[in-house]
Amino acid sequence: MTTTTADLPVVVIGAGPAGLAAAAHLVERGIEPLVLEAGPAAASAVREWSHVRLFSTWGELTDPAAEKLLAPTGWTKPDPATYPSGGDWAELYLQPLADVLGDHVRVGATVTGVSRTGRDRIVDADRETQPFVIHFTTADGEERVFARAVIDASGTWTTPSPAGASGLAALGEKATADRISYRVPDLKDPAVRARYAGKRTAVIGSGASAFTALATLADVAKDEPGTHAVWILRRGLSGSTFGGGEADQLPARGALGLAAKAAVDNGYADAVTGFRTEAIEHDGEGRLVLAGEDGRRLDPVDEVIVLTGFRPDLSFLSELRLGLDERLQAPTELAPLIDPNQHSCGTVYPHGHRELSHPEQGVYLVGMKSYGRAPTFLAMTGYEQVRSVTAAIAGDLASADRVELTLPETGVCGGAGLFDDPAAGQTDAGGCCAPAPALVQIGVGAPAAAVAEEAPAGGCCGS
């Protein structure tokens, strides 16, 4: 086959917010995109958390190139000051965008491998002149397509982190999978509510998703006797654990943290600190017992909700020469900018193709996947990434190197929220990160040393 690549499409993996925005930018530049989405519809991952509201407003959730593509259809941007749910984002923006892109988007197409045509990762000869080859499966079988460049915007939703504190599944975790959820449950769904009502549920995690699960379980407990949560944290509790509460410059997030704290203070949840899960065992009566690395064994629970973050699936990229940070699994040049030990979403500046580049020229990881295991991410950051990357693919390095995004101080990384409560409020003031931690008192008799322990700085929205 020919080694000429200029007439080939750019393959975009994933029809989520970043992937669809990348396709819109490619169309704007006269480059053919082909978006391969594993799910049955565009924004399949977003639809799976349709019941959860974002921290970001509509004004921060649409891409300029996408808006231009949508404009001739009569599409109207929702009120930029309001907060959509995941379902709103999918139905009012992402699906219409996918519809406009038409045949450029293929759903039900699961990418299984990406390589250079006729070159595995070992071979140097003429490597950069070869087009990429992408293998994928559909309901009809296996297919392949060739591409001039590859933009992986597949996200991390399908690969949640396990309960085990070592990064591996806890012993027994896989065997008890039918009693474990790795998502914030939709407790307004009667079938889901029935799973947790009147039950004792362990919630593992310390981020916004855990806050949401605790707060919604507390709401169920008010109406369903016997409903109780056990909040399991690997570290101790401090003011920063709850996002700053009333002092949080982002009131909606502050309200969420306060709701989680109230769940503990009001007796709907117990907090267990400094607990690193080693095993999940059956107790002989159909319940689950969590065992810690320090030998502690918690009282039996009926269900476990694991909200410990996500990680990238790199398996189908194994024949490419990627430059990834050994800790975060993010592009090498980007990793220092997003290290949660040093940064929060409020201190990550906009970045583009240079920070996202790899030894394998022409392949880019964008969107949430570009952050590897780092927990903080802004939709607007993803849109700036794909604007720069598509400009670089088009050969417009002047535009690719130019920063065209000013992040709003009210912007946050994304994630879950409880915005249905009018008391949460909205404001134009604020920033992403909580103020300096203040010690809090919780009504569960935790050891003083554990309560006083302050979590490391950084990471404002991660689990």
Side-chain angles (χ1 to χ4, degrees):
M1 73 168 276
T2 178
T3 58
T4 301
T5 60
D7 56 345
L8 294 175
V10 171
V11 165
V12 179
I13 305 173
L20 292 174
H25 280 273
L26 289 166
V27 168
E28 187 175 52
R29 289 185 170 275
I31 299 173
E32 179 188 356
L34 175 60
V35 183
L36 299 176
E37 165 60 43
S44 290
V46 175
R47 294 176 196 274
E48 291 192 27
W49 50 270
S50 61
H51 59 291
V52 177
R53 291 196 181 275
L54 289 93
F55 285 141
S56 298
T57 64
W58 269 116
E60 301 163 6
L61 292 171
T62 58
D63 174 80
E67 289 187 26
K68 292 178 184 177
L69 200 60
L70 284 164
T73 70
W75 177 82
T76 302
K77 184 175 181 176
D79 182 348
T82 59
Y83 297 90
S85 66
D88 296 333
W89 201 15
E91 293 301 327
L92 301 180
Y93 168 65
L94 297 171
Q95 185 60 55
L97 179 54
D99 291 341
V100 170
L101 289 165
D103 292 341
H104 292 305
V105 179
R106 288 193 61 179
V107 299
T110 301
V111 173
T112 58
V114 182
S115 186
R116 291 280 188 177
T117 303
R119 307 289 187 274
D120 63 21
R121 67 182 297 157
I122 300 175
V123 179
D124 291 333
D126 300 322
R127 185 177 189 85
E128 293 183 4
T129 66
Q130 302 302 311
F132 292 96
V133 59
I134 297 89
H135 287 212
F136 60 99
T137 59
T138 69
D140 297 324
E142 294 182 86
E143 297 185 38
R144 70 175 181 178
V145 65
F146 300 96
R148 60 188 287 185
V150 176
I151 299 174
D152 184 356
S154 59
T156 57
W157 178 254
T158 60
T159 47
S161 296
S166 62
L168 305 175
L171 296 177
E173 184 171 348
K174 295 178 182 178
T176 55
D178 61 325
R179 309 284 289 282
I180 300 175
S181 172
Y182 297 88
R183 309 286 188 265
V184 176
D186 182 3
L187 295 178
K188 292 183 179 180
D189 181 322
V192 177
R193 185 183 180 93
R195 176 174 175 175
Y196 298 96
K199 306 288 182 63
R200 181 176 169 88
T201 300
V203 177
I204 305 176
S206 59
S209 295
F211 290 172
T212 304
L214 290 166
T216 53
L217 285 169
D219 285 340
V220 173
K222 295 172 185 177
D223 301 321
E224 302 283 354
T227 305
H228 195 79
V230 181
W231 186 19
I232 299 172
L233 300 102
R234 294 170 181 170
R235 294 191 294 262
L237 288 175
S238 70
S240 63
T241 301
F242 297 99
E246 293 179 354
D248 198 315
Q249 292 184 326
L250 196 69
R253 186 190 57 192
L256 176 59
L258 289 174
K261 183 175 183 296
V264 175
D265 288 341
N266 294 333
Y268 296 121
D270 298 325
V272 178
T273 59
F275 189 90
R276 297 177 178 273
T277 306
E278 183 176 64
I280 302 176
E281 305 168 355
H282 283 285
D283 71 348
E285 298 181 3
R287 307 185 80 192
L288 303 179
V289 174
L290 274 64
E293 293 179 350
D294 58 3
R296 280 186 288 171
R297 294 172 61 84
L298 304 185
D299 290 339
V301 297
D302 301 289
E303 299 283 343
V304 179
I305 301 174
V306 179
L307 301 168
T308 53
F310 296 85
R311 55 186 57 176
D313 177 8
L314 301 168
S315 60
F316 58 88
L317 304 176
S318 62
E319 292 306 315
L320 297 177
R321 298 175 176 181
L322 302 181
L324 298 173
D325 179 74
E326 66 274 10
R327 292 182 302 120
L328 297 182
Q329 294 180 297
T332 306
E333 296 299 316
L334 177 61
L337 309 181
I338 61 174
D339 184 343
N341 294 304
Q342 305 294 329
H343 295 279
S344 66
C345 48
T347 61
V348 176
Y349 64 80
H351 50 274
H353 73 109
R354 295 195 184 278
E355 292 86 354
L356 297 170
S357 64
H358 294 275
E360 192 82 69
Q361 295 183 22
V363 61
Y364 300 93
L365 277 58
V366 302
M368 192 67 223
K369 189 164 186 176
S370 71
Y371 271 40
R373 299 194 184 198
T376 61
F377 190 75
L378 275 167
M380 292 181 73
T381 298
Y383 296 153
E384 174 66 0
Q385 286 180 342
V386 300
R387 183 206 62 77
S388 174
V389 163
T390 54
I393 292 171
D396 183 0
L397 293 184
S399 177
D401 288 335
R402 187 168 59 243
V403 174
E404 296 186 6
L405 170 65
T406 302
L407 293 174
E409 292 187 359
T410 53
V412 300
C413 325
L418 294 176
F419 293 84
D420 294 321
D421 184 354
Q426 297 179 13
T427 181
D428 291 331
C432 178
C433 302
L439 296 183
V440 295
Q441 298 300 317
I442 59 175
V444 294
V451 175
E453 180 185 346
E454 295 181 2
C460 66
C461 303
S463 295

